[in-house]
Amino acid sequence: MGMSAPLPMIGIPLCVRFYDEHRFHMAGEKYIRAVAEGMAALPVLIPALGETLSPAVWIARLDGLLLTGSPSNILPEHYGGPASAAGTLHDPDRDATTLPLIRAALAAGVPMLGICRGLQELNVALGGSLHQQVQALPGKADHRAAEALPVPEAYGPAHPVRLVPGGYLAGLLACETLSVNSLHAQGIDRLAAPLVPEAHAPDGLIEAVRAPAAAALTLAVQWHPEWRFQDNPAAATLLRAFGDAARQRAAARMPL
């Protein structure tokens, strides 16, 4: 009897939040379900313990890495940016976990998919920089969700993106433009050298990136394909493609 295809294991680095003065490590259920259902893979939750647990140890056991969105911003010290505005939410433990994980995953040929903050992390980890308040820049739109909107409306279509002709996303989704949801203030400033744009917003902001020289699919989007992907064919296609990339790694790691 032949061996059945292994269920790929996709790591989800967690955020740190405080509740009643206690620290919790957490991830939104939408991301966990995106892995379990949209990617047909096993979600593996990675606590934000920095390098207490070696990135190499995680990467040796994983078939993919999903970098989720979060309300927190990457500390500007990681990309040489100016100090954050007062009241900005940061998560230094997540930064200390994800940035080394990204570099280790790229070196080991582990597929990566970044979403929102995850796109920003990928860019920063590989040497790029960020705008902290895109809406304050001349000629740029306000990409934040309108305040006080119910969650379903906040995650509704916000603006189109134009996919780069000949790029991975344009080929995968077989379209030139895509309507996306948008809930971010930070955005790419200087693009990291290993990355190329895959999509742009109408104001020119880079909304998706890919590492073309990576040994496995390394892609990130500024929007949220995990949100109700069951009702969004483009989102479902993207998640399934990433799951397939993780399956390829899982199959390659199987003993003969």
Side-chain angles (χ1 to χ4, degrees), residues 214-230:
L217 179 61
T218 300
L219 179 73
V221 298
Q222 189 63 78
W223 62 89
H224 287 267
E226 83 288 353
W227 176 254
R228 295 186 174 176
F229 62 88
Q230 303 91 337

Side-chain angles (χ1 to χ4, degrees), residues 13 22 74 86 88 94 109 114 123 130 132 136 143 175 184 212 250:
H22 294 277
I74 301 167
T88 299
R94 171 162 168 163
N123 189 52
L130 302 175
Q132 296 182 31
H143 291 255
C175 61
H184 62 100

Side-chain angles (χ1 to χ4, degrees), residues 31 99 103 138 142:
Y31 298 110
L99 301 181
R103 298 179 190 113
D142 190 341

Side-chain angles (χ1 to χ4, degrees), residues 5-10 32-43 229 236 239-244 246-247:
L7 194 66
M9 296 193 297
I10 296 180
I32 298 171
R33 286 195 177 275
V35 170
E37 300 170 9
M39 301 174 189
L42 181 68
F229 62 88
L239 297 182
R240 188 166 54 250
F242 185 71
D244 289 344
R247 259 178 289 285

Side-chain angles (χ1 to χ4, degrees), residues 182-218:
S182 182
L183 301 91
H184 62 100
Q186 290 201 132
I188 289 177
D189 177 9
R190 183 182 70 255
L191 185 64
L195 302 177
V196 297
E198 282 280 336
H200 296 88
D203 62 5
L205 189 71
I206 296 173
E207 290 266 325
V209 297
R210 180 174 58 93
L217 179 61
T218 300

